[in-house]
Amino acid sequence: MPIFFLVLDGCAPEYFTAETAPRLHRLAGAHGFVKRVQCAMPSVTNVNHACLLSGKWPEETGIAGNYVYDPKTGREGFLEERGYMRAPTLLQWARRAGGKTALLTVKGKILGVYGEGADIGLSAEKPDPALLERLGLTPPPDIRSVDSTRWILEAAYRCMAAERPDFLYCTTNDCIFHHFAPGAAEAREQIAAVDEWVSRLHDENPDLSIYITADHGMNQKTRLINFQAVAERAGFALYCLPPLKDRYIENHVYQEGGTLYVFLKDAARDAEFVDFARSQPEVEQVLTAAQAAAAYHLPEAAIGDYVLLAAPGCAFAELPCERLHTEASRTHGSLYEREIPLLAIHPAAGPEAYRFSKDVAAILLEERTDP
């Protein structure tokens, strides 16, 4: 049975409901299920695509964020290319099994990091002109628009019709959800496009196994803290890495997110630092790297000395000041964006088998392990 796996970037359950996506919910009611599951921590894009494609936790994929930092060399940068993903993916498995694979994405970095094993790869940011012609597609629209969702889903529809992949992985952009709450016309329009195109895809391919989930949720944040500046003013020498940080600054102007990796440069001040961090009202939890790795299955060597988790309504940010109150930030990365929807049509297992979004791949790979 061919598989279509759609990841709605940043889609909290409140966006994707029986009211906003009625056709898909009816199909799931007849041939599958809809439920809420949890994504991996931190609730950011790269971390969760690695889990979604492999069925593994970050401790096994090696992906701990959208940005990397090496404290020994000082090297840092955006994670956008291959070489970081350690776990095998559904794309690689399907190809080894003799199947045809496709990865279609609005954000180019998804193809860059996870494209190994894809026979067909399409990015709305840097599309292959020959593939556009082959699929009969017009050039992509602005990736920040609802039209980019329509475009990538039409691409998936046309790809399934023309190329007949055995496994098709498709992702959107969360720009709309970063700027509009559930119920807003723009958010409803985005989900309506999903409802239309995936329903059409099912109608043309009634035996298709369909999974729709998200990489993370989305919430409004009103209190932002530049923890680096606050800590430095208190006399601490440290490097703060926000794992949410990426090039899509239109989504989060201040790179604001709900998790912070802290590399403390003076180990003699550990106890003092913990007391200081816990005293900040925006900080809900202060974990050592070992504690965070154990609690959230993270690769301990990649997450600094301490992991800070933000309180509800708060985020760590790269600000020109120490703190900012705003009504204009919708973002993710914290424990409060872990809950996401999962809709399945012709799934490999019953709803009780899926607790985390990564379980889709885990179950598929378990059933399809090569001899």
Side-chain angles (χ1 to χ4, degrees), residues 114-130:
Y114 304 108
E116 185 175 350
D119 297 305
I120 301 162
L122 178 64
S123 156
E125 285 194 281
K126 295 180 181 179
D128 177 358

Side-chain angles (χ1 to χ4, degrees), residues 9-10 43-49 64-68 76-81 106-110 113-114 125 143-144 172-175 178-179 215-216 218 239 241-257 259 316-318 330-333:
D9 195 349
S43 49
V44 302
T45 295
N46 276 4
V47 169
N48 278 286
H49 279 290
N66 300 334
Y67 199 83
V68 294
E76 60 183 289
F78 298 106
L79 199 162
E80 299 174 315
E81 66 278 350
V106 173
K107 291 180 176 178
K109 70 173 184 177
I110 305 303
V113 178
Y114 304 108
E125 285 194 281
I143 69 164
R144 298 168 294 183
T172 63
N173 184 6
D174 57 354
C175 189
H178 268 289
H179 292 88
D215 51 350
H216 54 77
M218 191 75 67
Y239 174 92
L241 190 163
L244 172 139
K245 184 173 181 175
D246 63 23
R247 293 190 191 278
Y248 303 96
I249 58 172
E250 65 274 9
N251 292 351
H252 23 75
V253 175
Y254 301 114
Q255 303 288 9
E256 64 269 31
T259 299
F316 304 104
E318 296 182 347
R330 294 185 55 77
T331 192
H332 51 96

Side-chain angles (χ1 to χ4, degrees), residues 2 12-13 35 40 112 114 125 134-135 140 147 160 162 169 178 182 185 193 218 296 298 307 315 333 365-366:
K35 66 178 297 187
Y114 304 108
E125 285 194 281
R134 198 163 89 215
L135 297 179
D147 287 336
M160 188 62 72
Y169 189 78
H178 268 289
M218 191 75 67
Y296 301 114
L298 292 167
V307 175
L365 289 168
E366 184 178 84

Side-chain angles (χ1 to χ4, degrees), residues 30-317:
H31 306 291
F33 63 85
V34 183
K35 66 178 297 187
R36 295 186 179 197
V37 295
Q38 287 197 325
C39 72
M41 278 291 288
S43 49
V44 302
T45 295
N46 276 4
V47 169
N48 278 286
H49 279 290
C51 298
L52 287 164
L53 278 164
S54 68
K56 306 292 186 183
W57 290 112
E59 63 192 358
E60 296 174 273
T61 69
I63 306 293
N66 300 334
Y67 199 83
V68 294
Y69 170 70
D70 185 341
K72 295 179 180 178
T73 65
R75 179 181 175 272
E76 60 183 289
F78 298 106
L79 199 162
E80 299 174 315
E81 66 278 350
R82 297 181 195 178
Y84 292 95
M85 178 66 170
R86 296 176 189 165
T89 68
L90 285 166
L91 290 161
Q92 294 165 316
W93 172 85
R95 177 184 273 183
R96 286 198 307 270
K100 181 184 269 190
T101 61
L103 194 165
L104 280 55
T105 176
V106 173
K107 291 180 176 178
K109 70 173 184 177
I110 305 303
L111 185 59
V113 178
Y114 304 108
E116 185 175 350
D119 297 305
I120 301 162
L122 178 64
S123 156
E125 285 194 281
K126 295 180 181 179
D128 177 358
L131 184 56
L132 294 185
E133 183 176 357
R134 198 163 89 215
L135 297 179
L137 291 167
T138 58
D142 187 328
I143 69 164
R144 298 168 294 183
S145 67
V146 171
D147 287 336
S148 71
T149 296
R150 292 194 187 93
W151 187 88
I152 203 67
L153 290 171
E154 180 181 358
Y157 178 86
R158 290 174 177 266
C159 181
M160 188 62 72
E163 303 291 334
R164 309 304 301 175
D166 298 284
F167 177 69
L168 195 164
Y169 189 78
C170 181
T171 82
T172 63
N173 184 6
D174 57 354
C175 189
I176 294 297
F177 299 149
H178 268 289
H179 292 88
F180 300 99
E186 294 84 353
R188 294 175 69 91
E189 184 182 359
Q190 175 133 315
I191 297 301
V194 175
D195 197 44
E196 175 189 355
W197 280 104
V198 181
S199 296
R200 289 178 62 179
L201 188 62
H202 172 271
D203 292 345
E204 294 295 325
N205 306 271
D207 64 335
L208 188 64
S209 182
I210 297 173
Y211 299 91
I212 302 175
T213 189
D215 51 350
H216 54 77
M218 191 75 67
N219 278 309
Q220 185 172 20
K221 309 294 181 179
T222 57
R223 295 161 58 195
L224 309 184
I225 179 173
N226 181 342
F227 187 85
Q228 177 98 34
V230 172
E232 286 179 343
R233 183 168 59 82
F236 293 97
L238 73 174
Y239 174 92
C240 295
L241 190 163
L244 172 139
K245 184 173 181 175
D246 63 23
R247 293 190 191 278
Y248 303 96
I249 58 172
E250 65 274 9
N251 292 351
H252 23 75
V253 175
Y254 301 114
Q255 303 288 9
E256 64 269 31
T259 299
L260 196 68
Y261 298 153
V262 177
F263 296 78
L264 195 61
K265 296 180 180 179
D266 184 357
R269 301 191 67 189
D270 275 12
E272 186 181 352
F273 172 79
V274 170
D275 289 340
F276 167 80
R278 286 176 176 163
S279 72
Q280 306 307 307
E282 297 87 355
V283 179
E284 182 171 76
Q285 291 186 43
V286 180
L287 304 173
T288 65
Q291 289 170 332
Y296 301 114
H297 308 281
L298 292 167
E300 185 175 343
I303 60 176
D305 301 297
Y306 292 94
V307 175
L308 309 188
L309 301 179
C314 300
F316 304 104

